[in-house]
Amino acid sequence: MLGTIVNTATILVGGTFGALLRTGIGEKYKKALFNGLGLCCLVLGTNAALPNMSKSEYPVLFILSLAVGAIIGTRLGLSERINRVSEKNRGAVNGLVTGILLYCIGTFSIVGPLLSALSPSHGWAFDEPGNTFLYTNATLDFVTSAVLSASYGWMMLLAAPVLFCWQGMFYLIAYFCSAAMPEPMRVELSIVGGVLILSSGLSILGIKDCKTVDLLPSLLVPVAFYLLKAVFC
C-alpha cells in the first residue's frame, strides 16, 4: 500500500501546485491547455484500447460493458445531474472525470497494487516491484494533476481519494483472491477505460459530447464479470 499512498500524495501536491498557478494563467493559455489535454486524451485512450484488443479473452466483453454501463449511467441520470449545476462547475466536474480516468486507467495503476498485495511485505517495503510501478505512475500523475488543476481548478484534488479507492480495490482483490485473475481483467479494463478516455478527449476538443459520465459504470462490468467467474468457475 505504500506505493498507493505515494501516488495519492503526488496528485494532491501536483494538483495544489496547478491550482495555485491557475490564477496567473490567461484565457488564451488555458484554451491552449485544453487543446493539449484533448489531444493527449485521444492518444492515450487509443493507446490503452487498441493494443489490448488482440489480448482479450472475450472480444465482445468491452462492447457489453459499454452497453450495460451506458444503460446504468443513463438510468441514474449522471450527465443530467451535472447539467443541473452551473456552467463553471459543470466544466470542473467533467475535468474531474477526465482526471480520474487518466489516473486510474493503465497498467501501472492496476498492476502496481496487485503486485504490492502479492509481495512478501504486502507492499509496505520501499523497493517492492509493485511499488516501483506505482512510483513511476506517481511521477506521471504529478505532472498530469498539475496541468489539469491549472485548467480546471481545485476540484481536481478530489481525484486523489478516488485513485486511492481504485488502487485499494485491486490491492484487496489480489490479497484475498488468486493471482491468476488480474491479467485478463486488466486487459478488459484497459480497453473499456481507453474508450472512455478517448470519449473525454472528443468532449474537451468540442468535437462530440459523448456523455462520458453516463459511461462510467462500464468500468464495473469487467470487474464484476471476473469476480463472478472466479467464484463460479
Side-chain angles (χ1 to χ4, degrees):
M1 286 296 288
L2 180 61
T4 294
I5 293 172
V6 172
N7 200 166
T8 303
T10 56
I11 291 176
L12 291 172
V13 174
T16 300
F17 174 76
L20 291 173
L21 185 67
R22 185 172 189 255
T23 56
I25 299 179
E27 286 302 318
K28 65 177 181 179
Y29 296 107
K30 290 180 182 178
K31 185 175 181 180
L33 281 175
F34 284 132
N35 290 336
L37 281 172
L39 291 172
C40 287
C41 286
L42 294 183
V43 173
L44 291 172
T46 303
N47 186 61
L50 291 185
N52 286 290
M53 292 291 291
S54 60
K55 303 175 186 177
S56 175
E57 290 184 339
Y58 307 98
V60 298
L61 182 56
F62 89 96
I63 300 175
L64 178 65
S65 298
L66 289 167
V68 173
I71 291 172
I72 295 174
T74 302
R75 181 67 181 85
L76 295 175
L78 300 181
S79 289
E80 292 179 1
R81 294 175 190 274
I82 291 178
N83 290 335
R84 285 198 289 266
V85 303
S86 67
E87 185 66 32
K88 180 179 178 180
N89 289 332
R90 186 188 311 169
V93 172
N94 287 327
L96 178 61
V97 171
T98 300
I100 290 171
L101 289 171
L102 289 174
Y103 300 147
C104 295
I105 302 301
T107 302
F108 290 158
S109 197
I110 297 174
V111 176
L114 292 171
L115 292 178
S116 292
L118 297 172
S119 65
S121 67
H122 298 305
W124 290 104
F126 184 81
D127 57 350
E128 290 290 356
N131 286 339
T132 302
F133 271 42
L134 291 171
Y135 297 150
T136 303
N137 199 57
T139 303
L140 297 172
D141 287 349
F142 174 81
V143 177
T144 304
S145 62
V147 174
L148 284 168
S149 293
S151 301
Y152 294 106
W154 291 100
M155 186 176 287
M156 294 306 304
L157 296 183
L158 296 177
V162 175
L163 173 81
F164 183 85
C165 293
W166 173 261
Q167 292 187 0
M169 176 184 70
F170 287 105
Y171 180 92
L172 292 174
I173 288 173
Y175 187 85
F176 291 108
C177 302
S178 68
M181 199 166 75
E183 178 59 20
M185 182 193 292
R186 184 195 68 77
V187 168
E188 301 300 336
L189 281 171
S190 294
I191 296 173
V192 176
V195 173
L196 297 187
I197 293 173
L198 185 62
S199 174
S200 290
L202 293 174
S203 178
I204 291 173
L205 292 171
I207 298 173
K208 172 68 177 178
D209 184 6
C210 300
K211 295 186 177 181
T212 309
V213 177
D214 280 346
L215 297 173
L216 288 179
S218 302
L219 290 168
L220 300 176
V221 178
V223 176
F225 176 82
Y226 279 100
L227 286 177
L228 290 172
K229 183 182 177 183
V231 172
F232 295 105
C233 298

